[in-house]
Amino acid sequence: MDRLRSRCPLPGCPLPGCPRPAVLCFLILAASFLVYPMLRTLSLQLHSAITGSYISGTHSIVFVNCPNEQIARDIARAILAKKLAASVNILPKTSSLFFWKGEIEEATEILLLIKTKTSKVLKLSSFIRLVHPFEIPEVFSLPMDQGDVHYLKWLEEGMEED
């Protein structure tokens, strides 16, 4: 009988060792925040599969500047090999002016336009920081609002894990 009483049947249970209601609420709230992105992604995929429509923001375009074309190609190939994106455009000779360590700098850079799932942007950004030669690489993304359904399906297939 004592063994049954040692379990906590409800929040606010007067038995010793039971979690306080505030602690329980905090744990539930924390778990909700951690699970929300996964549940949102799954519900969007289900909605798209059922309706055949595109949900705005499911895919993103990530912009990354590189110091030269060879580094841009190397980074693009590494991103594609890791299935972090389905397509990368390399746009040559972008003129950049920027503040760096209190001075105005000017450089010619190569711009990467990376098409990926929005859910992969953080992982992609972390990977770019690892392989990029700049101390602080320019990495930012914009969600895709609309797009051709066939192209977006192709993007999805290009990022599927083997």
Side-chain angles (χ1 to χ4, degrees):
M1 190 70 163
D2 288 332
R3 178 183 255 187
L4 293 176
R5 288 187 187 171
S6 66
R7 293 185 183 167
C8 177
L10 298 171
C13 176
L15 294 174
C18 290
R20 300 208 186 304
V23 172
L24 192 57
C25 288
F26 174 76
L27 291 174
I28 291 169
L29 187 62
S32 298
F33 279 117
L34 294 173
V35 174
Y36 173 76
M38 180 184 64
L39 292 177
R40 181 179 185 278
T41 301
L42 290 173
S43 65
L44 290 175
Q45 289 174 347
L46 180 62
H47 180 270
S48 285
I50 291 170
T51 64
S53 64
Y54 177 69
I55 303 297
S56 180
T58 304
H59 296 88
S60 291
I61 300 175
V62 179
F63 296 77
V64 177
N65 276 351
C66 297
N68 62 53
E69 192 169 346
Q70 186 58 53
I71 289 172
R73 286 185 186 284
D74 292 345
I75 291 174
R77 287 185 183 281
I79 288 167
L80 293 171
K82 289 198 164 284
K83 302 265 186 184
L84 294 172
S87 174
V88 180
N89 295 111
I90 300 173
L91 305 178
K93 297 194 179 182
T94 301
S95 294
S96 298
L97 286 97
F98 51 92
F99 277 106
W100 182 248
K101 299 187 179 182
E103 300 290 326
I104 296 176
E105 299 286 334
E106 189 170 340
T108 301
E109 297 175 318
I110 307 301
L111 178 62
L112 298 178
L113 295 179
I114 304 165
K115 277 76 79 185
T116 189
K117 293 180 189 177
T118 302
S119 62
K120 291 191 175 204
V121 169
L122 288 176
K123 190 172 182 181
L124 175 63
S125 181
S126 295
F127 178 73
I128 290 169
R129 278 195 307 277
L130 287 174
V131 298
H132 204 287
F134 288 169
E135 185 178 332
I136 303 173
E138 176 183 359
V139 180
F140 66 92
S141 69
L142 298 173
M144 290 184 197
D145 184 40
Q146 297 294 321
D148 179 75
V149 176
H150 301 289
Y151 176 76
L152 297 170
K153 185 174 190 258
W154 173 82
L155 280 181
E156 286 286 331
E157 291 167 358
M159 290 178 274
E160 288 178 354
E161 302 296 326
D162 295 329

